[in-house]
Amino acid sequence: MPPRKRRKLDQKPKTKSSSKTSSLGNKDTPTYSHWLMKSEPETRIEKGVDVKFGITELKAEPNQTACWDGVRNYQARNFMRDQMKVGHKAFFYHSNCKEPGIAGIVEIVKESYPDHTQFDSKDIHFDSSSKKDNPKWFMVDVKFVRMMKRFIPLSELKALHLKHKSRGGALQNMFLLTRPRLSVQPVSKGV
DNA sequence: GCCAACGTTGGC
DNA sequence: GCCAACGTTGGC
């Protein structure tokens, strides 16, 4: 097996910060108001369950609104729990599919609250280590706003990222390209 | 379907 | 607290 590269976590799980205000413990952490959230628009069976949830599925939900359950990554959770506010907008990104990229825009319509699937032993995102009086995982509710006028493929974002890295530009530090596995992430002009 | 690049776990 | 092993993400 090849040696594995090791990196420090950018964010260790915080000691339980019961307050959801922007006091993140780290004063250097920028405050964000725009986001990118990944979801899989194509059928994939995980533990017998189809995890498909593209922007079409969101649009088909009652009130075009859904809870963003299943996030099981501390950094992604922290962004949702600590910084996402009602009214914030997020890109809806299609991942793990034939044509990955940004499909549309959603709005945060409910701030973070405990993700119920962590307590459901039948759910694929069940977490036996999480206790109801001290939930580990949180989610927000998002509402469909609109499709992109034009689908923005990852390939295009990648090309811009390359260009902006050498010549400067908004996408030079885009998390999508610098932290490719983070499923909930901020976006900014980032110059 | 493959597999690189991680993020997490657990032995020590 | 280190770090090897393992599990997962997600592009290709």
Side-chain angles (χ1 to χ4, degrees):
Chain A
M1 196 173 283
R4 293 167 187 279
K5 229 173 100 185
R6 297 205 45 80
R7 306 172 63 253
K8 281 197 112 169
L9 282 180
D10 295 291
Q11 276 179 285
K12 288 267 164 54
K14 291 284 178 331
T15 53
K16 62 201 87 154
S17 75
S18 45
S19 84
K20 299 204 287 180
T21 61
S22 56
S23 65
L24 294 177
N26 179 1
K27 291 195 171 69
D28 298 329
T29 306
T31 299
Y32 296 103
S33 56
H34 295 81
W35 306 93
L36 182 149
M37 303 170 88
K38 298 181 186 175
S39 191
E40 301 185 35
E42 290 173 9
T43 288
R44 185 172 64 82
I45 306 301
E46 188 178 338
K47 298 177 189 167
V49 178
D50 189 355
V51 298
K52 169 178 175 175
F53 192 80
I55 198 160
T56 311
E57 281 68 44
L58 175 61
K59 219 173 155 180
E61 290 285 316
N63 207 22
Q64 300 190 326
T65 300
C67 59
W68 207 262
D69 60 306
V71 171
R72 295 295 181 268
N73 168 282
Y74 289 114
Q75 195 179 11
R77 178 205 67 180
N78 291 352
F79 280 134
M80 277 204 299
R81 188 191 60 186
D82 303 333
Q83 293 209 53
M84 273 191 178
K85 301 298 171 195
V86 169
H88 285 184
K89 299 281 183 16
F91 287 129
F92 193 112
Y93 179 87
H94 280 170
S95 71
N96 205 11
C97 57
K98 200 163 184 186
E99 209 183 3
I102 296 173
I105 294 176
V106 300
E107 181 177 348
I108 312 306
V109 293
K110 181 173 177 177
E111 273 164 36
S112 74
Y113 58 109
D115 177 344
H116 55 89
T117 64
Q118 71 196 296
F119 304 121
D120 179 357
S121 60
K122 305 220 171 57
D123 194 279
I124 57 172
H125 295 116
F126 175 62
D127 183 351
S128 61
S129 73
S130 182
K131 300 291 166 240
K132 278 202 164 160
D133 57 5
N134 187 18
K136 198 181 269 189
W137 305 111
F138 290 79
M139 62 188 183
V140 297
D141 286 359
V142 304
K143 180 172 183 165
F144 174 82
V145 174
R146 65 172 174 87
M147 301 299 289
M148 300 304 284
K149 293 190 183 109
R150 179 175 71 80
F151 181 84
I152 314 291
L154 174 63
S155 57
E156 190 174 335
L157 295 166
K158 270 188 156 170
L160 280 172
H161 178 239
L162 262 181
K163 188 170 142 191
H164 290 190
K165 267 201 299 188
S166 55
R167 288 172 236 172
L171 270 55
Q172 61 180 302
N173 296 316
M174 191 174 187
F175 275 58
L176 184 68
L177 307 150
T178 62
R179 309 293 313 278
R181 297 182 54 195
L182 190 58
S183 69
V184 175
Q185 54 181 264
V187 293
S188 72
K189 290 176 187 170
V191 187

